[in-house]
Amino acid sequence: MKQFMDKDFLLSTETAKELYHDYAAKTPILDYHCHINPQEIAEDRRFENITQVWLGGDHYKWRLMRSNGVEEKYITGDASDWEKFQKWAETLERGIGNPLYHWSHLELRRYFGYNGVLNKETAEEVWNLCNEKLQQASMSVRNLIKQSGVTLVCTTDDPADSLAWHKMLKADSSFDVQVLPAWRPDKAMGIEKPAFAEYMKTLGSVSQMEIQTFADLKKALEHRATFFNEMGCRASDHGLEYVMYVPAPEEEIERIFAKKLSGAQVTKEEELKYKTAFMLFAGAMYNKLGWVMQLHYGCKRDNNTPMYEKLGPDTGFDCINNYAPSSEMADFLDALHKTGDLPKTIIYSLNPNDDEAIGTIIGCFQDSSAAAKIQQGSAWWFNDHKTGMTKQLTSLANLGCLSNFVGMLTDSRSFLSYTRHEYFRRILCDVFGTWVENGEYPKDMEALGRIVKDISYNNAVNYFGFELENVK
């Protein structure tokens, strides 16, 4: 029997062990999509206790605690930080098979040197150990990033953001990890939202113009995108219910836009027409700038109405949306491709049933302008566990060129989440090791090691065009 989470955790073959320890483990991390706060990096935040860094804002853990019957006061309520941590420890020992069990223990080992098991009996010991460690200078936000081997971080930022913290970090020569903005224009696209008209005023203000038409909006977004580009932005990101394609003439889009600004509610069909026009404009703009377009879809959000009204969004009440027509995705990409406006694109679906559909769609639009110009994104959110990652890697290998995959991202709000890259790399090496030892690929360690390093790091450097050195 293997020891619990030993050095060969998740590595089931000798080839897998060699690939991980000799290649993957030594490769730095490029986190091209996350939700961490750039202010906390600029200010080099220090955390008072493990609850602040571990449970604050982590809706993954909140969902598991609710599933364990924990009262809300110990999750998002007014219980003390110690009480919340204790309830998490009691929950974790019930989390067999959940990736949070592995992530939590990887983080305890990597950052706190704790090699035991967290449960209700050890909670106080771990609490004291972690809190004592957090008082050390090595546990500040910047030092956590550095000791994790991270070379570059892309945050998630609204077009109206001043990027003040990014400016501060850019001017700070004492911190050599690049922290770049990534463009997330969901508020400008959300014409069905009550706050849409007010957001137009905000965006117009920072763009030094009044937004009264869709043409005005496009001009304002182009103005802000130029600023983001000057600040090093190389990627956009869109949170979508699904990728729609309901084209309409420009005059109709202007009528829909004016209707919304007048205070009237748009219909569902009008919403889809506007969003299609918005995404076609955005895709063409990204292509002109040389940015990567990331499409995250397949999520139905804020399903528990009473809890949403109490806590707001991103608090653990989202689920997989089973409606994502692949035909509309293909039509959307084709519309951009026909006009020469299709940018590099990464497609992520929250629904694992979409893996094969995505794999076949991306193959329709590849060309010589880039290796895997259209990518299937990594297993995301409800899928970033062993089963989901293995399935995504296998599907991409079956239908495309896995060796050109841009690899893992944290998609997290926590500065301890970089161990997810280790988790992914162990699974990647195990998949490769299994294929090799089954006789499905030769044991050419030079070729295999190069592919592992590329997926772990180099492919993302090249794909996004970041100014970083490749790993030899």
Side-chain angles (χ1 to χ4, degrees), residues 142 146 167-177:
R142 292 190 183 191
K146 290 284 289 183
K167 290 179 184 177
M168 187 179 299
L169 285 161
K170 190 175 183 180
D172 187 349
S173 60
S174 68
F175 187 57
D176 61 358
V177 176

Side-chain angles (χ1 to χ4, degrees), residues 195-210:
F196 181 80
E198 190 62 32
Y199 179 74
M200 290 300 108
K201 295 178 183 177
T202 300
L203 182 61
S205 177
V206 299
S207 304
Q208 299 180 325
M209 61 180 290
E210 190 172 358

Side-chain angles (χ1 to χ4, degrees), residues 339-354:
T339 57
D341 292 322
L342 180 61
K344 293 179 182 177
T345 302
I346 307 177
I347 303 170
Y348 311 77
S349 176
L350 200 56
N351 191 337
N353 293 328
D354 292 338

